[in-house]
Amino acid sequence: MTIRAVVWDVDDTLFDYTNADREGMRAHLLTEGLLAAYGSVERALLRWREITDVQWARFSAGEVDFVTQRRDRTRVFLGRDLTDGEADAWFTRYLAHYEAAWSLFPDVLPALDALAAGYRHAVLSNSSLTVQEHKLRTLGLLDRFESVLCAAELGVSKPEPGAFHAACEALGLPPHEVAYVGDHPEIDGRGAAEAGLLSVWIDRGTALVRPAGQPVAHRISTLAELPALFRADTRFGAPSTFG
């Protein structure tokens, strides 16, 4: 099979989300005088991520709008009955620290340059366009992608096949001519494979889970491996590099 396009995940695939999240929260808690209340940055981050998952699920289900989920994340994290203005102000201060820590992984630009001439490119993320287009623009990547699709606007999220198929439809290509590259072995790796795409798991050591059951995606440790992988395109039936 010939691969004609690459669809990319963003966080912890192109963008070093884990480091930015930690450094941004550390700087914010220090500035706000809150670090001692949580004991450590790691404990604060764990709490923040748990709350984010719950509130984002409410947003994804249509129970609240984007701004409300952000305000509620702040209220629950601080354990305070804040006004909308107070919650917005706190979150804006947090965002300033978080965005100051944004960076790409060092293998991203070389990989995109190496693949620019031979493949079309798009993004599929379990986030929102508001968040990811701003992020990609800030990092200087937005113009490299034909389309950016996000779960909040699609109404379906990875690992559901419909999310991956929406990305293929945006490119006007069948799934077997599209590769998907993401950092999560199940949401990205298994999801893309079961949707019929060439699935690639970039293992940056950030995933909190390991592959379940039979391996279904190609595992790489650097994006520099992609050109050779796409040329070979062994698909299913060839030995996987999972594990």
Side-chain angles (χ1 to χ4, degrees):
M1 298 292 183
T2 300
I3 295 300
R4 302 187 187 280
V6 187
V7 179
W8 302 82
D9 174 54
V10 177
D11 295 345
D12 280 331
T13 296
L14 302 172
F15 160 63
D16 190 352
Y17 167 78
T18 295
N19 181 67
D21 196 32
R22 185 185 190 284
E23 291 307 307
M25 183 59 74
R26 181 189 62 80
H28 184 53
L29 292 177
L30 282 172
T31 301
E32 299 284 313
L34 294 172
L35 186 56
Y38 293 94
S40 69
V41 176
E42 287 70 23
R43 289 180 64 185
L45 267 180
L46 179 61
R47 177 64 175 150
W48 179 247
R49 289 171 181 167
E50 290 173 345
I51 294 166
T52 297
D53 287 345
V54 171
Q55 298 303 325
W56 193 264
R58 295 176 64 219
F59 169 61
S60 297
E63 297 175 11
V64 295
D65 61 23
F66 181 78
V67 173
T68 299
Q69 66 81 26
R70 192 171 67 177
R71 289 168 176 163
D72 288 347
R73 285 163 64 189
T74 302
R75 291 177 176 122
V76 175
F77 182 71
L78 294 177
R80 301 177 196 165
D81 187 19
L82 304 176
T83 66
D84 287 351
E86 290 170 336
D88 290 344
W90 191 93
F91 199 91
T92 297
R93 295 194 300 273
Y94 158 71
L95 279 181
H97 293 293
Y98 171 52
E99 292 188 16
W102 282 4
S103 66
L104 299 172
F105 289 103
D107 59 355
V108 170
L109 292 179
L112 289 173
D113 288 343
L115 297 170
Y119 304 89
R120 298 164 62 194
H121 298 269
V123 161
L124 173 63
S125 168
N126 272 3
S127 184
S128 75
L129 283 175
T130 301
V131 171
Q132 298 300 47
E133 284 192 341
H134 171 61
K135 187 180 297 174
L136 293 169
R137 185 180 294 109
T138 300
L139 294 169
L141 294 185
L142 186 59
D143 291 344
R144 289 181 179 258
F145 304 106
E146 291 185 28
S147 59
V148 178
L149 292 86
C150 293
E153 290 73 25
L154 287 174
V156 61
S157 59
K158 302 176 295 181
E160 292 299 316
F164 297 98
H165 291 163
C168 295
E169 289 167 8
L171 292 163
L173 294 171
H176 66 265
E177 293 184 358
V178 180
Y180 189 82
V181 182
D183 71 291
H184 196 289
E186 293 297 315
I187 294 173
D188 297 319
R190 188 171 300 277
E194 292 181 350
L197 289 73
L198 175 66
S199 181
V200 183
W201 171 36
I202 172 69
D203 183 4
R204 298 198 184 277
T206 56
L208 300 179
V209 300
R210 303 302 293 176
Q214 288 295 107
V216 294
H218 295 273
R219 174 178 176 250
I220 60 174
S221 58
T222 171
L223 297 180
E225 298 176 55
L226 288 176
L229 176 61
F230 293 161
R231 286 194 298 270
D233 188 8
T234 49
R235 293 282 163 167
F236 313 109
S240 169
T241 53
F242 249 147

